Amino acid sequence: MASLRSKTTITRLATALTRSKSAFVAPAAVPREKTFQIYRWDPEKPGDKPSMATYKVNLDECGPMVLDALMKIKNELDPTLTFRRSCREGICGSCSMNIGGTNTLACISRIDPDTSKTIKIYPLPHMYVVKDLVPDMTHFFEQYASVQPWLQRETEIDYGKEQLQQSPEERKKLDGLYECILCACCSTSCPSYWWNSDKYLGPAVLLQS
C-alpha cells in the first residue's frame, strides 16, 4: 500500500511539473537593431539632391561586417541602394567608402555592436559620385596609368624568345610596393590630394611610380 501511495505521489508531482513547464513562456528576445545612415544620390532623378537615408538592421540576422549590412539592406529593404563590392576579403578594394568618418573597406570593417550608436556611411570624399556610394575612379586610374606602374627592363630584349627569370633578390625588391590594392582610401584621405588632385598624384599612385 505504501509503495502504491508513493507511486501516486510521484505521478502527481511529475504531472504538476509538466504543467508548470508548459505554462511558462520564455520572453521573446529583443532584436538588436542597428541604425545605418547612408548617403544617397541618384543622377537619373532630375533635381535630386544628396541626402541621408536611414535603415535599421537586426544584427542577429546579419553578418559581422558593414558590407554584410549593406548587402542585407539592398537585398531585403531597398534594392535601389548602389555600391561596389566583389571579393569580400579585403583584396580587390572595390568596397572602399567612408564609414564612421574613416576611409576603409566595408568588407573588413566590423559593425559596432553598440545599438545606441548610428553608423554613417558616405562615398570616398572629394571625388565625383556616380551614384550613392559609388565614386568615379576615372581620374584616379588615369593618374595610375600615367606612371607606367609595371616592371621595365633597362635593356631591350626580344620578348617571347626566352623565359625571363626573376631571382629571389630581385623579387624581394618589390616587397612593400605590390601590396597596394588601389582602393584609393589613402589618397582620398590626403588634404593635398583633395585640393590639388589635378597636379598631385597622391600617395597610392606615388607608391607605384
Side-chain angles (χ1 to χ4, degrees), residues 19 29 93 111 114 121 155 193 208:
R19 288 176 179 174
I111 300 173
D114 187 349
I121 306 176
T155 57
Y193 188 75
Q208 307 295 323

Side-chain angles (χ1 to χ4, degrees), residues 148-178:
Q148 300 182 353
W150 52 81
L151 297 178
Q152 301 179 48
R153 297 181 64 89
E154 295 179 354
T155 57
E156 292 292 331
I157 63 169
D158 186 4
Y159 288 100
K161 186 176 181 180
E162 59 181 337
Q163 183 178 1
L164 301 178
Q165 296 184 342
Q166 185 182 70
S167 68
E169 292 73 22
E170 291 173 329
R171 169 60 184 80
K172 194 172 182 179
K173 293 179 180 180
L174 299 177
D175 289 345
L177 302 176
Y178 73 92

Side-chain angles (χ1 to χ4, degrees), residues 181-196:
I181 59 174
L182 299 174
C183 64
C185 283
C186 65
S187 290
T188 53
S189 296
C190 176
S192 294
Y193 188 75
W194 295 348
W195 314 125
N196 303 288

Side-chain angles (χ1 to χ4, degrees), residues 85-99:
R85 55 101 177 174
S86 184
C87 73
R88 300 186 64 174
E89 298 292 338
I91 296 174
C92 71
S94 299
C95 62
S96 56
M97 56 189 71
N98 185 282
I99 301 173

Side-chain angles (χ1 to χ4, degrees), residues 1 5 7 19-21 33 43-44 53 68 71 83 95 108 110 118 121 145 147 151 183-184 196:
M1 179 67 71
R5 289 178 179 176
K7 289 182 179 180
R19 288 176 179 174
S20 64
K21 285 183 177 180
E33 286 193 337
E44 296 182 358
D68 294 315
M71 294 174 64
F83 55 91
C95 62
I108 61 173
R110 283 191 168 274
T118 298
I121 306 176
V147 299
L151 297 178
C183 64
N196 303 288

